Amino acid sequence: AQSVTQLDSQVPVFEEAPVELRCNYSSSVSVYLFWYVQYPNQGLQLLLKYLSGSTLVKGINGFEAEFNKSQTSFHLRKPSVHISDTAEYFCAVRSNNAGNMLTFGGGTRLMVKP
Amino acid sequence: DSGVTQTPKHLITATGQRVTLRCSPRSGDLSVYWYQQSLDQGLQFLIQYYNGEERAKGNILERFSAQQFPDLHSELNLSSLELGDSALYFCASSRGADYNEQFFGPGTRLTVL
């Protein structure tokens, strides 16, 4: 079975500061990893994904994430956040042996303050 | 806009009732997925259909059922509703059965009173 843990339920940060949202996963097989963002009253939008290759993945809106197999982590980072980045962020994993279903973490609410 | 549409946007009903949620996938996508987002359970995968056939099953209750029609739209049927079924129900679609990128619809918010 696979699982995803997002270590922080809320992350407050000031505008233009850097931010890191943490994600750890557990799976006995190879995985594909995703970060989704959910703005208030909207669906989920894919930010970035790791399928294979370079462990540093760049996504939309200036976000990037690094896959670390030894630490089973896939932390999301942005060097300078904007007020408009305020949203809920979900880390998700898909294992090779689990069909195409996504297993999501509990979410991290990023609150960007002026 | 992901291209995935869901209706209705909001649904308010009473315990014991039955409702149907509808999803139209992106043009060309053959797979449809249903997820439930609730405060206590988070985001959970319910079921996947691919080209009309059930492909994968997750934590879907026996009171819930789904189907995908020949035109590829999907319906999620929830019956004998309980207060705990109140949640946001998302539909997602992808090109193939195992294609990695899923595109999510805006969701249907179900409130059971």
Side-chain angles (χ1 to χ4, degrees), chain B residues 9-67:
Chain B
K9 195 164 184 170
H10 301 279
L11 199 47
I12 301 174
T13 188
T15 55
Q17 295 298 305
R18 172 190 169 95
V19 297
T20 298
L21 313 184
R22 183 188 167 104
C23 167
S24 292
R26 290 187 323 152
S27 176
D29 284 1
L30 299 178
S31 268
V32 169
Y33 311 78
W34 287 98
Y35 291 86
Q36 179 196 58
Q37 185 179 32
S38 63
L39 284 175
D40 51 346
Q41 302 282 345
L43 253 170
Q44 287 196 98
F45 168 75
L46 295 178
I47 198 164
Q48 176 195 359
Y49 276 80
Y50 170 70
N51 206 20
E53 300 289 327
E54 182 183 302
R55 177 81 176 180
K57 216 167 186 175
N59 297 324
I60 187 165
L61 299 171
E62 281 194 19
R63 300 183 285 109
F64 296 1
S65 65
Q67 54 184 326

Side-chain angles (χ1 to χ4, degrees), chain A residues 29-41:
Chain A
V29 297
S30 300
V31 294
Y32 304 113
L33 294 153
F34 306 82
W35 274 99
Y36 282 85
V37 60
Q38 184 180 26
Y39 298 104
N41 301 314

Side-chain angles (χ1 to χ4, degrees), chain A residues 74-103:
Chain A
F74 191 54
H75 300 332
L76 181 71
R77 301 186 184 102
K78 186 168 182 177
S80 175
V81 295
H82 304 289
I83 296 285
S84 59
D85 292 322
T86 295
E88 187 97 20
Y89 291 80
F90 292 93
C91 181
V93 64
R94 179 211 150 184
S95 293
N96 275 341
N97 64 349
N100 202 27
M101 59 174 276
L102 294 174
T103 299

